[in-house]
Amino acid sequence: MNDNEILKNSENLKEKQIIENNLNENDISVKSASTYYVPPIKAKEKIKIVPMTKKDTIFMMLLFVISFLFVDFAFLNNFNLGFTISFFALFIFTTAYFFNNKIKVTIFTYISGILSLVSALAPAMFTSYSIKSITVLLSAFLFTVYTCGISGTFKNNEGSFRIIVDMISGIFISPFINIVNVVKSFKSSLTKNKKSFDAVIGVIIAIPILFIIVPLLVKSDAAFAGLIDKLVLSFRDVIMECFFVVIITPYLIAYFYSKKAKYKVGSEIITSKKSNTRFITSSISVSFLTVISITYLVYLFSQLAYFFSAFSGILPEGYEFSASVFARRGFYEMFVICLINIAVISVVNIFTKRTEQNKVSIPLKVLECFISLFSVLLLIIAMSKMKLNIEHFGLSKARLIVALVECMLFVILVFLIVHIFLPKVNYMQPIIIICSLMFLVFSFANVDAQIAKYNVEMYKKGELQTVDISYLNILSDSSIPYLVELTDDKNEDVASTAKSVLRDKYEYSYRTYMTLNDNNEMEDDYREDFRKYNHERKRACMYLAEYYNSLNKDEKMQFLDFGKSYFKPIAPPQYEYEFNDDYNYNYYNNSYESLQ
């Protein structure tokens, strides 16, 4: 090989090396680029199991007691004073359990906790089942806010709608997905603390022994037997209570300890900033809201028929334009439309894509604001219809509840409009607090009493043509004083109907709480089991006794026609089985008289 060939081969070799070097550099850049855009798959994150401490173990055992209180005091005793006692016990133990100086608790959390306690007082004071049901649900809702806040398990901004997601997942998701982790925590604590394990074993062993000891103690002592009789009605009740306690307690343990151990709440995926929930383009949302807005504009145009004769042809033929016809139609439908509008605006806000500056487009803001203002207008019209309806047909609980919810919707719409233009403003906190306060004021105003009072007063003033006594009859105990007021009405039909209603109420609801003394006067003997105690029922008994004592002898006899069986004293031994058929009880001299 000559010198020229060697030189040529060396040049080719250098070119080949340069090409290879360039390829290697490109490969590195590609690898680095792929590493930058496609992150490596991470291993599944393992949840760190947090062993239960001695404090945790004690609280979990107390949850059995609290579960029993709720089942026995609340569920089986119609949610009266027993519910208030059990709720306060749960609140105190929960506060002591979650209290931690390291957790920053907001004022909103404390206010929610206080409002939950206030709401829990209502079932002990009023007997209206609808009001009682809503106050119980409100207590549970506010207590959930309180537990999330005091345990520091809100994963999202407390001023955003996302806290509702936290609460829902904390109630319905977290306890179930973390129950295995809670069991592992319990096992881990037992291996570290043998004394706790021995204590649990001791409690489990004691339970079957108690089933033998307690019946023997009941037979051996009258005082203890009376105490057990007051606490437990029958063995069947005990079995039923134990069944519910066994179901409720594991859920409560998983609910509370998953928050204490900071296990997954269940809302992280839904509310994560990385999750792409905005998949609807702004054009779709704008066109969608435009169609709805045009429909509402047509509706507003139709309303001109009520105010200008030039547009009266819009109304159907034969339409009677009167206040009563106007009032009777529309407010329930308007209420539903407002609910739909709020839901539509919320969904559009959640799922619509933002601009490059992460802002809502101006046309979308304008349409959302128009629909919100239209909803406010609907609420105002609905409230005016409700006012006319009440003036013509009187108050009812359904009308008042709808009016209350309309006021709450008005509050929501105001903060919704603020949020459209000022998205950084916290809106959920004031909505929850204001709406809760509104309902608490509504419930503590003794709605049934206000309804009965208004209807009776308007009837007596002549502003209502008649008074619906049958409706007063289905109201709670608060209507008793106003039924008494109608017994001396000038209209004999109204007076006699009110007297009949009072007799029926006494027979089916109150006679077990009343006694007759030697002077044939009725006395309030309201000695209800403290778990069933209700302040409104106590006051109703007092009013009923006063009404009976104001009657003359003939009226008293007539009033007691339905209640003879209760006021009969124990018959003499020889009449034990036959006095109902052969003897009649004389209320004037407190003795039996032969019918033969």
Side-chain angles (χ1 to χ4, degrees):
M1 182 180 295
N2 55 28
D3 294 336
N4 292 330
E5 289 177 348
I6 293 172
L7 182 61
K8 186 177 181 180
N9 288 333
S10 62
E11 290 175 355
N12 291 335
L13 183 61
K14 287 179 179 179
E15 290 178 0
K16 186 176 180 182
Q17 288 177 348
I18 290 171
I19 293 172
E20 288 178 353
N21 290 334
N22 289 334
L23 288 173
N24 290 333
E25 290 176 1
N26 290 334
D27 185 58
I28 292 171
S29 65
V30 169
K31 287 182 179 179
S32 63
S34 63
T35 304
Y36 178 78
Y37 290 107
V38 183
I41 299 175
K42 294 182 179 180
K44 188 176 180 180
E45 183 181 354
K46 290 185 178 180
I47 298 175
K48 183 181 179 181
I49 301 300
V50 181
M52 289 186 181
T53 62
K54 188 176 181 180
K55 179 181 177 181
D56 297 328
T57 306
I58 293 172
F59 180 74
M60 299 311 152
M61 295 177 68
L62 284 173
L63 282 178
F64 278 94
V65 179
I66 293 173
S67 299
F68 174 80
L69 286 177
F70 265 100
V71 173
D72 185 81
F73 281 36
F75 289 104
L76 300 183
N77 287 283
N78 299 324
F79 288 88
N80 291 296
L81 180 60
F83 169 77
T84 305
I85 294 172
S86 54
F87 184 85
F88 270 67
L90 176 63
F91 186 91
I92 292 170
F93 285 125
T94 302
T95 303
Y97 179 60
F98 283 122
F99 181 76
N100 188 344
N101 291 326
K102 296 180 180 179
I103 298 176
K104 185 179 180 181
V105 182
T106 62
I107 297 176
F108 169 66
T109 298
Y110 287 125
I111 293 175
S112 298
I114 293 171
L115 291 179
S116 71
L117 292 175
V118 175
S119 179
L121 292 172
M125 298 184 66
F126 308 109
T127 55
S128 173
Y129 288 109
S130 57
I131 302 298
K132 188 181 293 188
S133 301
I134 300 176
T135 51
V136 168
L137 293 175
L138 180 62
S139 297
F141 172 79
L142 293 171
F143 180 73
T144 304
V145 176
Y146 177 72
T147 53
C148 289
I150 200 172
S151 62
T153 52
F154 273 128
K155 299 296 182 182
N156 300 281
N157 180 12
E158 292 182 22
S160 166
F161 78 95
R162 295 175 184 269
I163 67 168
I164 303 296
V165 179
D166 278 344
M167 292 168 58
I168 293 174
S169 60
I171 296 172
F172 299 105
I173 300 176
S174 177
F176 299 102
I177 65 175
N178 288 315
I179 193 164
V180 175
N181 297 326
V182 174
V183 172
K184 290 179 180 179
S185 297
F186 181 68
K187 287 183 177 179
S188 178
S189 66
L190 292 181
T191 57
K192 290 186 176 182
N193 192 345
K194 192 175 184 301
K195 290 183 179 180
S196 299
F197 177 76
D198 294 341
V200 173
I201 295 298
V203 172
I204 294 173
I205 294 173
I207 292 175
I209 304 300
L210 288 177
F211 279 99
I212 301 172
I213 294 175
V214 172
L216 294 174
L217 291 174
V218 169
K219 291 182 178 180
S220 66
D221 184 76
F224 186 73
L227 176 64
I228 296 299
D229 287 340
K230 287 191 175 185
L231 293 178
V232 180
L233 297 177
S234 66
F235 181 74
R236 185 181 66 179
D237 292 334
V238 175
I239 297 299
M240 184 171 63
E241 287 179 3
C242 291
F243 173 76
F244 284 113
V245 167
V246 168
I247 292 176
I248 294 172
T249 306
Y251 169 82
L252 291 178
I253 291 174
Y255 174 82
F256 286 109
Y257 190 72
S258 60
K259 293 182 181 301
K260 181 68 180 297
K262 300 295 188 295
Y263 290 148
K264 287 188 175 180
V265 177
S267 61
E268 293 89 344
I269 298 175
I270 301 174
T271 60
S272 173
K273 293 181 180 179
K274 295 180 181 179
S275 59
N276 185 16
T277 58
R278 304 188 189 280
F279 56 88
I280 300 177
T281 63
S282 180
S283 300
I284 294 176
S285 297
V286 168
S287 60
F288 168 70
L289 294 182
T290 300
V291 173
I292 295 176
S293 299
I294 292 173
T295 304
Y296 289 155
L297 284 172
V298 173
Y299 173 85
L300 292 175
F301 177 79
S302 70
Q303 298 303 294
L304 298 175
Y306 294 108
F307 307 105
F308 301 102
S309 59
F311 296 92
S312 59
I314 297 175
L315 291 170
E317 291 185 9
Y319 180 83
E320 181 186 355
F321 185 73
S322 64
S324 60
V325 174
F326 179 77
R328 193 185 290 271
R329 180 176 179 176
F331 51 83
Y332 290 112
E333 291 78 6
M334 291 179 180
F335 164 72
V336 175
I337 291 172
C338 289
L339 285 178
I340 294 173
N341 287 345
I342 291 173
V344 165
I345 294 173
S346 301
V347 170
V348 168
N349 267 328
I350 293 170
F351 296 109
T352 301
K353 293 179 179 179
R354 300 290 190 254
T355 62
E356 294 180 356
Q357 293 79 23
N358 196 28
K359 293 182 179 180
V360 179
S361 64
I362 294 178
L364 192 59
K365 283 185 177 182
V366 172
L367 289 170
E368 287 178 348
C369 185
F370 170 77
I371 294 175
S372 300
L373 292 174
F374 176 79
S375 301
V376 171
L377 178 63
L378 279 186
L379 286 177
I380 294 173
I381 296 173
M383 289 178 183
S384 65
K385 284 175 175 281
M386 181 70 74
K387 181 176 179 294
L388 285 173
N389 192 288
I390 291 171
E391 288 175 354
H392 283 78
F393 308 107
L395 278 177
S396 72
K397 195 179 300 183
R399 291 166 189 161
L400 283 182
I401 290 177
V402 170
L404 173 68
V405 177
E406 286 175 345
C407 293
M408 292 180 177
L409 288 178
F410 184 82
V411 172
I412 294 172
L413 285 167
V414 169
F415 282 99
L416 191 60
I417 294 171
V418 172
H419 177 66
I420 290 172
F421 295 99
L422 300 172
K424 293 184 179 180
V425 173
N426 292 335
Y427 59 95
M428 278 306 300
Q429 292 175 337
I431 286 175
I432 291 174
I433 292 173
I434 294 173
C435 291
S436 299
L437 283 172
M438 289 172 67
F439 184 79
L440 287 175
V441 171
F442 178 80
S443 59
F444 280 94
N446 199 352
V447 176
D448 285 18
Q450 300 303 324
I451 292 171
K453 179 181 178 181
Y454 176 86
N455 289 347
V456 171
E457 287 183 354
M458 293 299 105
Y459 165 71
K460 289 196 168 186
K461 288 180 180 179
E463 296 186 20
L464 288 178
Q465 296 179 357
T466 184
V467 60
D468 190 352
I469 297 180
S470 61
Y471 181 74
L472 298 182
N473 182 32
I474 65 175
L475 291 175
S476 64
D477 300 317
S478 298
S479 65
I480 292 291
Y482 304 99
L483 285 169
V484 171
E485 191 175 339
L486 289 173
T487 56
D488 60 354
D489 191 74
K490 296 178 181 179
N491 187 323
E492 293 183 2
D493 291 336
V494 171
S496 61
T497 305
K499 291 177 182 178
S500 298
V501 168
L502 285 173
R503 287 201 302 269
D504 289 344
K505 277 184 171 292
Y506 160 76
E507 171 65 20
Y508 297 112
S509 302
Y510 298 100
R511 67 186 181 92
T512 56
Y513 305 121
M514 312 297 241
T515 56
L516 283 180
N517 59 25
D518 295 338
N519 297 323
N520 196 29
E521 292 181 347
M522 187 175 289
E523 295 178 351
D524 165 29
D525 191 27
Y526 185 78
R527 297 179 183 177
E528 187 66 272
D529 181 350
F530 74 94
R531 293 168 295 184
K532 295 181 180 179
Y533 177 84
N534 188 279
H535 177 69
E536 188 179 1
R537 176 61 56 90
K538 169 71 174 175
R539 290 181 70 249
C541 291
M542 294 171 59
Y543 278 111
L544 200 59
E546 289 178 5
Y547 165 69
Y548 173 83
N549 295 332
S550 67
L551 302 176
N552 58 43
K553 288 185 178 181
D554 293 335
E555 289 173 334
K556 286 181 179 179
M557 288 294 294
Q558 185 180 7
F559 185 84
L560 293 175
D561 279 346
F562 294 92
K564 285 184 179 180
S565 60
Y566 174 71
F567 288 108
K568 288 176 182 176
I570 300 175
Q574 63 268 30
Y575 305 139
E576 186 173 0
Y577 299 104
E578 69 230 23
F579 75 93
N580 282 328
D581 297 327
D582 299 329
Y583 294 86
N584 181 43
Y585 181 68
N586 188 321
Y587 291 92
Y588 297 108
N589 56 22
N590 294 324
S591 63
Y592 285 97
E593 296 176 351
S594 175
L595 296 177
Q596 297 177 354

